[in-house]
Amino acid sequence: MEPRGSSGVGSGNSGTYTPEIAESLRFEEEIQSLIDPSFDASSAAGGSFTALLGLPANQAVELLHHPGPGEPPASAATDTLRLPFGCSSTFVERAARFSVFATDDSPASSSGGGLSPGLKAEPPDSDSPPTLPAPAGKPRRPSKRKECEKSKAKAVAKKSKSAEENTSAAKPAAEENTSGDKLPYVHVRARRGQATDSHSLAERARREKINARMKLLQELVPGCSKITGTALVLDEIINHVQSLQRQVEFLSMKLAAVNPRIDFSGLDHILSAECGPLAVASGCGGGASDPAMWASDTAASTGGIRRMPAPPQIWHLDVVHPQQSSTVWENNGVAHPHFLLSPATSLVGYDPASSVPLNSNRLKTEL
Amino acid sequence: MRASSRFKSVFLEQMLMGFQLSGFPCRTMSLPARMHAIKLSADVAMAVARGSRRWTHGLIAHLSKKEDKSFLKCILGKQYERLTMPCYSSWKIQRCKTILRRSFRERFGKQKPAQACTLARSLVKTRAQVLKRLVPGGKAMDGYSLLDETMDYVVCLQAQVDLMRHLLGAFEASKLRAQTKGTSSQGRKSIKDETDGNKKDLIELCMHLSDNA
């Protein structure tokens, strides 16, 4: 591995390069950056000849003659090559000799367009967000990277968009898209061989959103994770939904067949007593759904209050008297003795005459 | 991805209320009618428990188009008018899209889709249309929101199936217990035992809910 910080300013890239060596250099550097978050890849980029040779010829020569600020910038990567040490002529010559290892493994640089070493510096950028703004002179090119490195590439602002302060923030948004909120800007990096105008970018962002959703759906539906291809996955999803709907119908038929006579009032009391604390526990854990939690809690308690008769008086919804159910329900409310189910009931202003609207009010807040 | 226990408890509560409201244990009702009532109350309970999503609105609108409006009114109370109001904006979008599509088709005629990508796209399109028919309220959704709503709908459907299965088990167990107790002891005591049996079953049901969640 080349010495850290050894920067030889080489001449610009001349045609041939051995891709394997370049690849290995890149990977070494990136692995290093992953291991050590404070890895200053600018120095290592300086150390890798590829970075140097990524510069176009004239700029490299310029750097040759004017070693520049010499010390590295305060933070990590910049776009221009910052030499950690003052470059000595020996380094320069050695670098020039090794110019055969020219550039960019990032294939973007065709002949003239040297990729800025900012590219090399970018993997560590994801770890240490750059604070230096891009130097004005260096045009930011649409970055094109190999697909294998795209995962490590952070979202970098393209030349039409804003600067790179948003990189670390925008990267999760660009790549994961699982959060429901939308950022005003989606910073993405164009892949190799893809168009970079705004339309295709937007379309690609949309496609990635859809792909993220498809992945989630694949995880949800059993047996779908091995399937590749949108159409087949959609097939599975459709089958799953249809089977669930059929199961609901079948279960409702069985429920209809099973019980001609159920003591619902007792059931509801037990339910509210059991599921009220349950709702409270889970609701407190949720936190965000406070009104809904309260609503459900009070719904449960009001339901329990409404239907629970006095303990000694057990009510049966008898088969023979179907009309009685509704009347009994109201009678329950009127003749209802006062009791406390849980502390939550004290929140409820229980009004027997308006028991129904009360419940629906609670439901309304929930919805 | 599972539904939260809060959702399940609210769902169960709502469903039992719906059962009660429909005068459910009515022997005079035929089996299909009872099944219909149960399914209706289960669907409404699911929609109410989930909250405000596009598919829930679609589901309630769909349910209100059928008969039994009075039943729905009972359950939803004041929200009935608000929830069953048709959402004109989304339908307008759908109508515009179909008109545009038709005009484009007439203008450009049929192009031979010899490429694989267009073929794949058409396959995906047909499946998306089927999915739109399945998910309530799906006709007025574009691709991304369709997938979103489908995911939500699947989670809720799974929870619904779970709940109904456990409810069925609880009822059957209580019925069995009642039958065995009925043969052994008679009179008022058996009724009380049945009640206790029901309560026990429901307690087990709630425990199961909390365990799962």
Side-chain angles (χ1 to χ4, degrees):
Chain A
M1 182 164 144
E2 57 272 12
R4 261 208 195 197
S6 75
S7 49
V9 184
S11 52
N13 51 343
S14 45
T16 62
Y17 62 98
T18 48
E20 305 89 9
I21 296 179
E23 270 304 303
S24 57
L25 286 175
R26 290 302 307 277
F27 279 130
E28 260 180 298
E29 181 191 306
E30 287 183 7
I31 289 168
Q32 259 252 330
S33 68
L34 287 174
I35 295 171
D36 181 12
S38 59
F39 176 59
D40 188 357
S42 65
S43 50
S48 71
F49 297 113
T50 58
L52 300 170
L53 304 169
L55 292 179
N58 44 5
Q59 284 187 344
V61 168
E62 240 184 303
L63 279 167
L64 257 181
H65 295 302
H66 307 283
E71 62 176 310
S75 67
T78 62
D79 285 4
T80 59
L81 183 65
R82 303 277 185 221
L83 309 177
F85 315 111
C87 69
S88 62
S89 53
T90 50
F91 271 126
V92 166
E93 281 154 27
R94 210 187 299 167
R97 225 180 301 142
F98 285 100
S99 67
V100 70
F101 296 125
T103 66
D104 56 288
D105 50 320
S106 26
S109 78
S110 37
S111 48
L115 257 187
S116 59
L119 257 196
K120 274 58 163 184
E122 264 155 35
D125 265 357
S126 59
D127 307 320
S128 52
T131 52
L132 269 197
K138 201 99 192 188
R140 301 194 64 103
R141 297 171 185 276
S143 45
K144 302 186 183 171
R145 292 177 142 253
K146 278 190 184 155
E147 299 261 338
C148 52
E149 295 162 40
K150 185 177 192 290
S151 58
K152 299 191 188 96
K154 39 181 210 340
V156 170
K158 292 178 36 62
K159 55 185 169 185
S160 56
K161 295 188 184 155
S162 62
E164 68 259 35
E165 298 93 48
N166 310 328
T167 50
S168 47
K171 178 196 178 196
E175 291 200 346
E176 287 163 12
N177 286 326
T178 48
S179 65
D181 46 19
K182 305 201 189 319
L183 298 175
Y185 267 131
V186 178
H187 297 282
V188 287
R189 165 164 296 178
R191 290 191 209 173
R192 172 185 190 174
Q194 290 191 352
T196 56
D197 56 332
S198 60
H199 289 294
S200 49
L201 271 183
E203 202 183 300
R204 190 145 44 88
R206 189 183 133 265
R207 249 183 290 139
E208 282 179 5
K209 268 198 324 182
I210 290 187
N211 284 338
R213 279 278 173 262
M214 289 286 300
K215 274 206 191 79
L216 282 178
L217 269 170
Q218 269 186 307
E219 283 165 34
L220 198 59
V221 177
C224 229
S225 35
K226 301 169 203 148
I227 301 181
T228 49
T230 317
L232 295 173
V233 168
L234 280 179
D235 255 350
E236 281 302 316
I237 293 172
I238 288 173
N239 284 337
H240 191 60
V241 168
Q242 277 174 339
S243 81
L244 283 175
Q245 283 175 340
R246 263 184 262 130
Q247 271 179 37
V248 166
E249 256 194 68
F250 177 66
L251 281 171
S252 69
M253 186 178 68
K254 285 196 85 173
L255 272 173
V258 115
N259 39 14
R261 183 173 122 153
I262 288 290
D263 180 10
F264 274 114
S265 52
L267 301 184
D268 291 332
H269 165 57
I270 292 300
L271 258 184
S272 52
E274 293 290 325
C275 300
L278 201 75
V280 171
S282 56
C284 287
S289 56
D290 259 356
M293 185 268 288
W294 181 70
S296 71
D297 203 357
T298 51
S301 42
T302 47
I305 291 173
R306 260 191 298 118
R307 294 189 205 95
M308 177 60 182
Q313 169 194 354
I314 292 174
W315 183 264
H316 284 286
L317 282 176
D318 214 347
V319 179
V320 193
H321 314 282
Q323 310 94 327
Q324 257 189 358
S325 59
S326 46
T327 52
V328 160
W329 186 54
E330 264 124 39
N331 287 340
N332 256 351
V334 168
H336 171 72
H338 178 69
F339 68 97
L340 283 175
L341 261 186
S342 65
T345 60
S346 55
L347 292 169
V348 178
Y350 176 63
D351 184 8
S354 60
S355 56
V356 174
L358 189 71
N359 195 25
S360 57
N361 279 341
R362 302 291 170 255
L363 291 176
K364 192 173 184 181
T365 53
E366 189 180 276
L367 269 180
Chain B
M1 198 182 304
R2 308 199 61 145
S4 68
S5 65
R6 184 187 66 82
F7 167 73
K8 282 184 184 171
S9 56
V10 173
F11 186 177
L12 192 58
E13 164 83 18
Q14 280 292 308
M15 191 153 66
L16 289 177
M17 182 171 80
F19 285 174
Q20 212 176 15
L21 278 176
S22 63
F24 161 48
C26 176
R27 226 178 255 157
T28 57
M29 286 167 76
S30 59
L31 183 66
R34 251 188 302 175
M35 180 178 92
H36 178 73
I38 289 178
K39 187 160 187 297
L40 186 64
S41 59
D43 286 340
V44 170
M46 177 168 74
V48 164
R50 184 59 187 91
S52 176
R53 298 286 304 226
R54 285 164 86 163
W55 66 266
T56 54
H57 290 301
L59 182 61
I60 293 181
H62 175 70
L63 288 176
S64 67
K65 268 185 220 156
K66 300 158 51 166
E67 65 277 19
D68 286 8
K69 280 194 185 158
S70 54
F71 176 48
L72 268 180
K73 268 189 187 148
C74 266
I75 294 184
L76 298 175
K78 274 190 191 160
Q79 310 159 65
Y80 175 72
E81 287 83 20
R82 186 173 69 90
L83 288 174
T84 55
M85 212 166 34
C87 181
Y88 286 115
S89 54
S90 56
W91 282 107
K92 257 192 202 147
I93 294 172
Q94 180 64 21
R95 241 178 274 137
C96 287
K97 272 190 188 163
T98 47
I99 291 172
L100 272 174
R101 237 179 268 141
R102 259 185 245 129
S103 69
F104 271 120
R105 223 176 289 150
E106 286 163 13
R107 210 182 301 168
F108 294 113
K110 283 213 181 114
Q111 303 182 0
K112 288 295 172 191
Q115 303 160 354
C117 60
T118 43
L119 198 63
R121 214 171 294 158
S122 67
L123 281 179
V124 169
K125 256 294 195 259
T126 48
R127 280 155 178 80
Q129 276 167 4
V130 175
L131 199 57
K132 280 185 182 175
R133 252 182 279 137
L134 279 181
V135 174
K139 287 179 257 182
M141 288 186 220
D142 64 324
Y144 175 71
S145 47
L146 180 68
L147 288 179
D148 213 5
E149 298 294 317
T150 309
M151 198 163 56
D152 212 44
Y153 186 52
V154 164
V155 168
C156 289
L157 269 184
Q158 268 171 346
Q160 186 181 28
V161 166
D162 236 1
L163 263 174
M164 289 178 78
R165 205 172 274 155
H166 288 124
L167 206 60
L168 189 66
F171 286 159
E172 275 182 344
S174 75
K175 193 174 182 186
L176 210 61
R177 202 174 297 132
Q179 279 175 355
T180 52
K181 282 203 181 122
T183 52
S184 58
S185 64
Q186 319 214 341
R188 273 169 257 130
K189 200 146 188 282
S190 67
I191 297 173
K192 191 159 194 297
D193 291 339
E194 184 185 324
T195 318
D196 292 340
N198 286 345
K199 289 182 185 170
K200 234 181 287 173
D201 291 327
L202 274 177
I203 291 171
E204 283 168 20
L205 187 61
C206 291
M207 288 304 154
H208 188 87
L209 279 182
S210 59
D211 288 339
N212 277 354

